[in-house]
Amino acid sequence: MSLRLEPRLKPSRAAVFLSPLGAVAATLIVGAVVFTLLGYDGLGAVRQIFLAPLTSVHRWQDLLVKAAPLAIIALGLSIGFRANVWNIGAEGQYVVGGLAGTGIALATLDLTGFWILPAMILAGLAGGMAYAAIPALLRVKLGVSEILSSLMLNYVAIQLLYYLMRGPWRDPMGFGFPQSALFSLDQTLPIVVPRTLIHLGIPLALALALLVWFVMARTIAGFQVRLLGLSPHAARYGGFRENRVVFLCLAIGGAFAGLAGILEAAGPFGQMVPSFPTGYGFTAIIVAFLGRLQPVGIVLASLVLALTYVGGESAQTMIGLPAAAIGVFQAMLLFFLLASDILIRYRPRWHARAAA
């Protein structure tokens, strides 16, 4: 007997949208078992990571702050993913966007004016877009896989960050720490709800979700992206220029990641530091697929993944869970989501082996 996967004639639409809930439930159960077997309080870990942050109003602010960059990056990635353009370099584009905005901040440290923060944001957008243009050009001009090129560029961006923080951009008044100077008031994101942590980046993320929905659902450009993902041959037959769509998808994904980078640097960090790579670029890939590449789903999924960051920090101090546990939970979530996708599209069948 051999096990084979047979394509289903019509995957269940309900299963497609309910499977993320199943993946989250499976992650909670398996995560509790795994950490119990490793000698930790498995149920306590699940409670601290996924439930404790929801019981504190102060933690809700942390959730929104951490969900905003995840949602922004995932929204940009989702456009490319829907066209089968696989940008795995959002982490590097996020870092370069933050560096580009920081460059403007350091150049204007002694200046004041309302224009400085917008200039930083534009630099972040441009930096992320320019960095994503490298794998885009390699793909459309030379046929190089954007998966490999964008993935490798992540590590180049991180090394660039380390060099700048330990060299040219190191704050001489920073007591020897490898970090940039603190941003001024005109270089910092404003708080939109007084006496909270809710900064301008959070409503901006919601506005971008609405914009992406409108573009993808109501414009010719969105139709081209969707058609290229569903049927490349039909797109070519219809006269759509595939290379232009591919380039734009990567550039937009980079711009969104760069925007998230400068919003983080000008928001929660308030400066550039070597610990700036937070893994948001990689986590946003999970967010995009958990949200089914739909803007509303991505916003909800970003809140779920933000739980792993906020709750993970609490679990480290409360029950001694290692920091790597956050990555383990995120990896399990992606695994169960992809596994459910396979079962949605394929039916497992046992077949008898033919006689020799």
Side-chain angles (χ1 to χ4, degrees), residues 12 26 28 49 82 106 109 125 131 172-173 179 211 225 256 260 271 277 288 304-305 308 337:
S12 167
L28 297 180
I49 292 176
R82 294 184 72 171
L106 296 180
L109 268 182
L125 281 163
Y131 205 58
M173 306 298 290
Q179 60 190 15
L211 175 65
V225 170
F256 274 51
Q271 62 182 151
V304 174
L305 268 297
T308 63
L337 188 65

Side-chain angles (χ1 to χ4, degrees), residues 82-142:
R82 294 184 72 171
N84 289 332
V85 177
W86 307 106
N87 178 11
I88 314 298
E91 182 77 359
Q93 294 146 22
Y94 165 81
V95 171
V96 171
L99 288 174
T102 299
I104 299 296
L106 296 180
T108 58
L109 268 182
D110 298 328
L111 303 178
T112 59
F114 68 91
W115 55 271
I116 295 178
L117 184 60
M120 292 168 59
I121 292 175
L122 287 176
L125 281 163
M129 182 183 294
Y131 205 58
I134 298 173
L137 287 173
L138 290 173
R139 160 75 186 269
V140 301
K141 297 295 185 183
L142 302 174

Side-chain angles (χ1 to χ4, degrees), residues 8 10-20 82 292 294 344:
R8 297 180 188 274
K10 186 177 182 182
S12 167
R13 188 174 177 83
V16 170
F17 287 98
L18 290 176
S19 60
R82 294 184 72 171
R292 290 303 182 204
Q294 300 294 329
I344 289 170

Side-chain angles (χ1 to χ4, degrees), residues 130-291:
Y131 205 58
I134 298 173
L137 287 173
L138 290 173
R139 160 75 186 269
V140 301
K141 297 295 185 183
L142 302 174
V144 176
S145 167
E146 74 276 13
I147 298 175
L148 293 176
S149 58
S150 62
L151 177 63
M152 290 189 289
L153 284 171
N154 288 329
Y155 304 100
V156 176
I158 292 171
Q159 293 305 316
L160 175 63
L161 168 68
Y162 292 163
Y163 165 72
L164 291 174
M165 291 302 101
R166 293 183 173 91
W169 288 3
R170 184 172 183 166
D171 182 12
M173 306 298 290
F175 302 101
F177 290 102
Q179 60 190 15
S180 74
L182 286 171
F183 294 171
S184 67
L185 190 61
D186 286 338
Q187 297 169 337
T188 306
L189 280 185
I191 297 296
V192 295
V193 179
R195 294 185 295 278
T196 69
L197 303 174
I198 300 176
H199 56 65
L200 183 63
I202 295 168
L204 185 58
L206 296 175
L208 288 174
L210 184 62
L211 175 65
V212 170
W213 169 82
F214 178 79
V215 170
M216 295 301 293
R218 294 288 186 269
T219 67
I220 296 296
F223 175 71
Q224 291 184 8
V225 170
R226 289 185 283 123
L227 182 60
L228 185 62
L230 292 172
S231 178
H233 294 296
R236 295 187 198 104
Y237 183 78
F240 297 156
R241 297 171 61 182
E242 181 179 353
N243 283 344
R244 186 174 65 176
V245 175
V246 169
F247 187 91
L248 285 176
C249 286
L250 282 163
I252 292 171
F256 274 51
L259 173 64
I262 186 54
L263 292 180
E264 279 295 284
F269 283 88
Q271 62 182 151
M272 184 56 73
V273 295
S275 60
F276 188 71
T278 52
Y280 283 167
F282 295 115
T283 306
I285 297 173
I286 304 175
V287 171
F289 282 102
L290 190 64

